[in-house]
Amino acid sequence: MVSNDFSSDIQTKMSTKIVIAGGFGAGKTTLVGSVSEIPAVTTEAVMTEASVPHDDTSATPQKVTTTVAMDFGRITVDQQLILYMFGTPGQARFWFMWDDLVRGAVGAVVVVDCRRLADSFEAVDYFETNRRIPYVVALNKFDGALEYTTEQIREALEVSSDVPILDFDARDRSSSGSVLKTLLRYALSNNAAAAPVG
Amino acid sequence: MSYRKRRGSRIRPYTFTGGRTRSRHPLMVQTLVSTADPSNDAPANLMPESQRIYLLCRETRSVAEVSAELKIPLGVTQVLLSDLAELGVVYIHPTITGDSPSENQVLERALRGLERLFQ
Ligand SMILES: Nc1nc2c(ncn2[C@@H]2O[C@H](COP(=O)(O)OP(=O)(O)OP(=O)(O)O)[C@@H](O)[C@H]2O)c(=O)[nH]1
Ligand SMILES: [Mg+2]
């Protein structure tokens, strides 16, 4: 462990993370870009897919694919605290990468494209199953009017009754900022409910 | 209408080793790292990749940013950073996960910061 003479400025800097999840093309990167102080950073990862069982064409036992590995932005909250926002890969077949991205997050936003509700099931399901991470549902309206009420959406996606659902415009900085504020307030109220005072 | 049918019926096809490091400090994508002493040159005998990481860390940045800026895969970046921390030349900053009630104060600060930034 490092224990020598850092300036206190360096030593007291810390960070935290919010995960931006949701279906393919729901507006995750747009949200991150709206609130981030840096252009959203996207990196790619190469990975191998296991061969299909019983596939006897042993000449190509593995297939190499490329996917988005990271998609993130940053908000310097104050001199000592930096908040990162990490988008999850939209394609459902890469959901297994989520565990790494979600680990240690203070909360998550599930961005829902209101025209394609079914696409967001996977993400809602992930956070309903892992209730350790507080999450909110953010309905990206894509200019259109909402076809359903918030409660209809809650019912359709089976979102727990205490989880905030709000609508927003991913392209709008202040609207996207409101989503992050709602998440932090919700996370704090969860902690207050869970922890005994003192 | 309900989309819940598939819940619980998934297969986990792969396991990632990302984040498993020798360091006792958690080294997550959002974790900040910086050189212990910014005025020092890189220690001798570092591998070229580690040297590049060391030099970049003279300014505090996250593991994700190190990986993206140097185009070193995330898992490799994590292992090399953890080795540098073990050598005592890179400092791993605290990561606020909200898991402990003692962190509430920091989360409140984050909320106040967001309220100031996004009115
Ligand atoms: N009209 C409109 N377009 C939007 C809105 N939000 C996002 N878009 C557009 O929708 C497309 C998809 O948005 P992205 O932010 O890339 O979505 P994503 O969730 O990051 O997509 P993947 O990472 O590929 O899953 C882009 O062309 C955006 O410009 C919105 O509120 N209204
Ligand atoms: Mg995206």
Side-chain angles (χ1 to χ4, degrees):
Chain A
M1 195 164 143
V2 181
S3 62
N4 35 20
D5 50 327
F6 311 114
S7 76
S8 59
D9 173 59
I10 286 178
Q11 205 165 18
T12 52
K13 269 198 178 174
M14 54 187 127
S15 61
T16 191
K17 169 177 73 180
I18 287 174
V19 168
I20 312 295
F24 184 65
K28 302 177 293 290
T29 304
T30 307
L31 190 173
V32 171
S34 294
V35 292
S36 177
E37 67 199 24
I38 53 167
V41 178
T42 300
T43 67
E44 292 196 326
V46 175
M47 62 178 108
T48 51
E49 286 183 88
S51 58
V52 181
H54 310 301
D55 183 349
D56 44 25
T57 55
S58 51
T60 53
Q62 293 203 312
K63 186 171 158 259
V64 175
T65 48
T66 305
T67 186
V68 170
M70 290 190 295
D71 186 17
F72 66 93
R74 182 180 73 199
I75 299 172
T76 300
V77 172
D78 58 37
Q79 284 195 330
Q80 270 134 27
L81 183 61
I82 300 181
L83 168 65
Y84 286 94
M85 291 139 297
F86 278 83
T88 58
Q91 285 167 277
R93 66 198 186 99
F94 296 121
W95 68 269
F96 60 88
M97 288 178 67
W98 290 17
D99 289 346
D100 276 338
L101 288 173
V102 167
R103 194 156 43 92
V106 292
V109 175
V110 174
V111 181
V112 173
D113 177 345
C114 293
R115 305 162 305 180
R116 297 180 290 129
L117 279 191
D119 287 4
S120 49
F121 175 79
E122 203 99 32
V124 168
D125 182 48
Y126 183 92
F127 292 102
E128 280 292 327
T129 311
N130 301 271
R131 286 310 302 274
R132 213 182 55 75
I133 309 275
Y135 83 100
V136 301
V137 174
L139 308 170
N140 196 6
K141 287 180 293 186
F142 281 89
D143 307 323
L146 272 186
E147 235 178 284
Y148 312 100
T149 66
T150 301
E151 286 318 303
Q152 282 172 324
I153 287 171
R154 186 185 299 282
E155 205 180 316
L157 296 178
E158 299 195 25
V159 174
S160 298
S161 59
D162 61 310
V163 171
I165 300 182
L166 66 163
D167 54 68
F168 84 120
D169 183 334
R171 298 163 302 172
D172 184 82
R173 180 173 182 274
S174 136
S175 179
S176 296
S178 294
V179 173
L180 302 187
K181 287 188 278 185
T182 302
L183 174 62
L184 272 181
R185 286 197 196 101
Y186 176 62
L188 276 163
S189 72
N190 268 6
N191 285 2
V197 181
Chain B
M1 54 178 176
S2 171
Y3 299 110
R4 196 168 193 157
K5 294 177 196 72
R6 285 166 294 168
R7 184 166 297 167
S9 63
R10 292 209 190 100
I11 304 157
R12 186 186 168 89
Y14 305 84
T15 311
F16 266 52
T17 54
R20 186 191 300 150
T21 67
R22 269 166 269 166
S23 167
R24 286 192 289 126
H25 307 272
L27 203 48
M28 293 176 272
V29 283
Q30 74 274 27
T31 303
L32 295 174
V33 289
S34 53
T35 49
D37 184 347
S39 60
N40 277 0
D41 287 334
N45 309 325
L46 285 186
M47 289 184 293
E49 302 283 78
S50 298
Q51 189 147 5
R52 288 166 70 213
I53 292 175
Y54 179 88
L55 293 175
L56 195 67
C57 290
R58 289 200 278 197
E59 263 179 58
T60 306
R61 44 181 34 84
S62 63
V63 173
E65 283 165 304
V66 172
S67 164
E69 282 174 58
L70 297 181
K71 297 186 166 48
I72 300 175
L74 192 55
V76 177
T77 306
Q78 281 167 321
V79 168
L80 296 180
L81 272 169
S82 140
D83 289 347
L84 289 168
E86 201 99 314
L87 287 173
V89 296
V90 161
Y91 175 67
I92 300 174
H93 294 248
T95 310
I96 305 302
T97 62
D99 288 341
S100 146
S102 65
E103 293 176 331
N104 275 5
Q105 225 183 323
V106 184
L107 294 191
E108 269 154 26
R109 231 171 74 206
L111 177 56
R112 278 197 301 276
L114 292 181
E115 282 166 347
R116 191 168 20 81
L117 289 165
F118 304 100
Q119 283 170 358

